Amino acid sequence: MNIVLLGAPGSGKGTQASLITEQYGLPHISTGDMFRENIREKTPLGVLAKSYIDKGQLCPDDVTVKMVEERLSRADCKKGFLLDGFPRTISQAEALEKFVKITCVLDIEVPLDKLLGRLTGRRCCEKCGESFHVSVIGKTEICPKCGGKLYTRADDNEETVQSRLNVYASQTASLIDFYQRKGVLKSVNGDAAVEEVFAAVQEVLNTL
Ligand code: ADP
Ligand code: ZN
């Protein structure tokens, strides 16, 4: 199964991705995580990516496509994969088509007015990478899952979030139509509890 997860920033892609990975054993390929790892390790790619990510803009298509193509060519992706955060532009989607066949594109739908609060209230775990919302976990700085330290992502401040949402509307949302026309799009309601969203996701994946 070659799966693409679509959805606005804050739609819960990352959370669903880790549940899918656990249940179906697919490698989780998150371009956001890959960029952040490069930023942490101060690689040339990381330095370049940081200058875009900090402004809430997309990293250039050419470097992003190259990074994904290299990742998908590794042995662990031969039996399938879960792409999270890629493609984000039509040009990335067209490039992707040239090197793999996508089984299904899952679009997680959340009303736009809920996204800002979801992102600015997000806390991430340094250790396990999971993210949580302050409305659920309160003010704690300890990860409820693994006990690691929680932090707020640098690009989760209100100004950057606003530009990420604008980028989504202007460059990424059109992928819904793109994949609809190819007949591979499945939508699930993301405006529900994590378990309910995952139940809907499983319903789709189990029929593939
Ligand atoms: P979210 O889905 O919560 O916005 P991600 O962790 O997926 O966050 O991505 C964080 C940032 O990394 C994006 O705002 C963008 O700058 C960069 N990025 C991630 N994926 C891509 C991509 N496919 N193309 C270009 N930039 C990307
Ligand atoms: Zn944790």
Side-chain angles (χ1 to χ4, degrees):
M1 271 194 312
N2 298 341
I3 310 295
V4 168
L5 265 184
L6 267 189
S11 60
K13 285 193 306 288
T15 303
Q16 294 301 321
S18 62
L19 292 169
I20 295 169
T21 298
E22 224 169 89
Q23 175 96 0
Y24 298 90
L26 298 171
H28 175 197
I29 320 287
S30 158
T31 43
D33 287 350
M34 290 163 86
F35 284 133
R36 282 185 289 277
E37 196 180 316
N38 276 280
I39 292 172
R40 258 196 314 276
E41 289 170 3
K42 301 197 167 61
T43 67
L45 176 63
V47 173
L48 176 84
K50 189 172 179 349
S51 65
Y52 292 91
I53 292 178
D54 283 352
K55 286 184 270 185
Q57 292 171 2
L58 294 182
C59 300
D61 281 339
D62 56 346
V63 291
T64 308
V65 167
K66 223 171 103 200
M67 177 177 82
V68 171
E69 184 169 13
E70 189 280 320
R71 181 63 189 85
L72 294 182
S73 72
R74 291 195 215 161
D76 63 334
C77 293
K78 288 284 170 291
K79 285 196 178 140
F81 53 79
L82 176 67
L83 267 176
D84 163 12
F86 184 95
R88 260 176 152 96
T89 63
I90 297 284
S91 133
Q92 290 180 7
E94 285 167 350
L96 180 64
E97 274 184 335
K98 299 209 172 91
F99 48 88
V100 284
K101 183 157 174 49
I102 297 302
T103 320
C104 171
V105 176
L106 263 174
D107 181 37
I108 307 183
E109 297 178 322
V110 174
L112 276 174
D113 60 317
K114 301 236 167 133
L115 297 171
L116 187 72
R118 279 196 181 198
L119 289 162
T120 53
R122 176 159 76 174
R123 300 292 176 266
C124 305
C125 174
E126 264 178 16
K127 205 166 147 195
C128 72
E130 201 74 57
S131 55
F132 306 91
H133 197 273
V134 287
S135 65
V136 177
I137 58 165
K139 279 200 166 123
T140 179
E141 284 178 12
I142 309 293
C143 172
K145 191 173 157 192
C146 79
K149 199 170 172 327
L150 296 178
Y151 69 99
T152 302
R153 249 170 61 175
D155 60 348
D156 277 349
N157 65 80
E158 193 159 340
E159 197 189 334
T160 312
V161 162
Q162 201 60 63
S163 65
R164 284 159 63 202
L165 293 174
N166 292 340
V167 165
Y168 173 78
S170 62
Q171 302 188 59
T172 310
S174 55
L175 287 172
I176 296 173
D177 251 19
F178 178 91
Y179 284 120
Q180 177 101 60
R181 264 182 264 127
K182 306 222 174 248
V184 289
L185 188 83
K186 301 274 184 201
S187 300
V188 298
N189 175 25
D191 190 13
V194 170
E195 308 75 52
E196 283 173 58
V197 179
F198 187 51
V201 165
Q202 283 174 286
E203 218 170 282
V204 172
L205 296 184
N206 290 343
T207 62
L208 295 178

